[in-house]
């Protein structure tokens, strides 16, 4: 996912996405009656799970890892419950979140990783990772943490409601690629903390089904936002900004 310019590794998130593709294919046959070599896919899917749990999980520390053979974590691990690999409140995931908070939560925002990526220079917090942590908090019932982090992340948008790839909290400025669809989609798209909690905690192998309703839009502008949030760059409220719709 992160285009690391270093030695090739078996990244846990990437291996989980292989598992997720196979799991979707199996469910397409088993649940929806589509044709396919389901026995072969199930066998490969189950093999992938065993591989990931043996190599992408640090049994001594109790958390998932960035890639096989390391103890480091990265922000992409926050997506494991969203594709149904494990439940959001699985003890392994709870420990992973704690490790991400310890290593990657810097000045209130989530870094994508803290390891060397083969690229000179530093970088700032990744907003997509920050929104993934919002969703994780919400799904395990940490509503106060989810709300506070959501408000902090949304407040980084510019006066048009656009978000960048990264954010530098020390300089209070957007950095990286701009505009960036991924964090903007999360602003428009993720459920409120109470909605995510109401959606329930999925069982293993079943991705969460989140409600379609979003943050309130009392001004009728088409924007989905926190209505009492001032724009950091201008101090204006954001009711008058144009509609922003994610591409589905």
């Amino acid at each position: 996912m992160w285009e690391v310019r270093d030695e090739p590794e078996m990244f846990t998130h990437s291996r989980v996405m292989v598992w997720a593709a196979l799991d979707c294919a199996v469910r397409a046959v088993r649940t929806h009656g589509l044709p396919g070599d389901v026995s072969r896919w199930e066998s490969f899917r189950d093999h992938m799970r065993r591989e990931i749990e043996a190599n992408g999980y640090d049994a001594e520390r109790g958390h998932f890892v960035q890639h096989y053979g390391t103890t480091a974590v990265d922000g992409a691990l926050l997506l494991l419950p969203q594709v149904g690999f494990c439940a959001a409140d699985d003890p392994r995931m709870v420990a992973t979140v704690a490790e991400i908070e310890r290593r990657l939560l810097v000045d209130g925002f989530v870094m994508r990783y803290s390891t060397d990526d083969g690229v000179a220079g530093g970088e700032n917090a990744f907003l997509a990772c920050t929104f993934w942590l919002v969703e994780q908090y919400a799904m395990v019932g940490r509503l106060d943490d989810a709300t506070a982090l959501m408000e902090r992340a949304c407040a980084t948008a510019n006066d048009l409601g656009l978000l960048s790839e990264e954010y530098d909290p020390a300089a209070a400025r957007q950095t990286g690629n701009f505009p960036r669809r991924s964090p903007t989609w999360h602003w428009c798209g993720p459920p409120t903390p109470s909605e995510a909690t109401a959606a329930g905690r999925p069982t293993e192998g079943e991705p969460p089904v989140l409600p379609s309703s979003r943050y309130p839009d009392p001004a009728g502008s088409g924007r989905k936002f926190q209505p009492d949030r001032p724009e950091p760059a201008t101090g204006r409220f954001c009711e008058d900004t144009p509609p922003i719709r994610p591409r589905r």
Side-chain angles (χ1 to χ4, degrees):
M1 172 183 282
W2 302 130
E3 302 174 352
V4 171
R5 279 79 160 177
D6 209 341
E7 293 300 317
E9 300 285 359
M10 289 288 195
F11 282 84
T12 301
H13 170 263
S14 297
R15 303 304 282 172
V16 167
M17 293 308 293
V18 174
W19 174 92
L22 291 162
D23 186 59
C24 287
V26 168
R27 288 188 287 114
V29 176
R30 296 295 191 200
T31 304
H32 302 289
L34 297 179
D37 190 352
V38 68
S39 296
R40 182 185 179 194
W41 296 343
E42 282 179 326
S43 177
F44 192 18
R45 178 198 63 183
D46 295 345
H47 167 79
M48 288 303 305
R49 174 173 287 282
R50 290 191 297 270
E51 177 198 296
I52 293 162
E53 291 181 339
N55 300 288
Y57 172 71
D58 187 325
E60 181 178 346
R61 293 171 175 79
H63 62 76
F64 292 105
V65 296
Q66 180 185 29
H67 60 74
Y68 297 177
T70 186
T71 62
V73 293
D74 73 352
L77 296 172
L78 294 167
L79 295 175
L80 269 56
Q82 297 193 29
V83 299
F85 186 78
C86 64
D89 59 356
D90 184 307
R92 299 171 299 177
M93 195 64 212
V94 172
T96 301
V97 170
E99 191 70 2
I100 287 172
E101 290 172 325
R102 187 177 75 86
R103 294 192 182 193
L104 302 182
L105 192 61
V106 179
D107 294 331
F109 296 88
V110 182
M111 307 291 290
R112 57 179 177 170
Y113 47 71
S114 60
T115 51
D116 183 18
D117 58 7
V119 180
E123 64 178 33
N124 296 295
F126 258 61
L127 289 178
C129 297
T130 302
F131 282 112
W132 296 340
L133 184 56
V134 169
E135 293 173 293
Q136 172 66 25
Y137 281 161
M139 286 191 290
V140 297
R142 293 176 59 177
L143 302 188
D144 290 343
D145 291 333
T147 299
L149 188 56
M150 182 74 175
E151 291 176 347
R152 188 180 308 127
C154 288
T156 68
N158 70 0
D159 56 341
L160 294 178
L162 297 176
L163 295 164
S164 59
E165 179 183 39
E166 303 177 27
Y167 183 73
D168 180 355
R173 68 185 184 94
Q174 298 178 335
T175 60
N177 295 323
F178 176 86
R180 192 67 169 177
R181 182 178 67 176
S182 177
T184 302
W185 182 89
H186 278 83
W187 187 11
C188 300
T192 64
S194 58
E195 287 171 345
T197 300
R201 300 178 178 88
T203 57
E204 189 174 276
E206 179 181 334
V209 178
L210 300 176
S212 59
S213 57
R214 305 302 186 209
Y215 281 93
D217 181 20
S221 65
R223 273 283 304 284
K224 305 301 182 184
F225 62 100
Q226 289 286 56
D228 58 349
R229 176 184 60 78
E231 293 292 340
T234 63
R236 294 187 299 106
F237 289 83
C238 54
E239 287 87 346
D240 59 344
T241 53
I244 296 175
R245 297 294 186 189
R247 296 182 66 182
R248 301 292 187 184

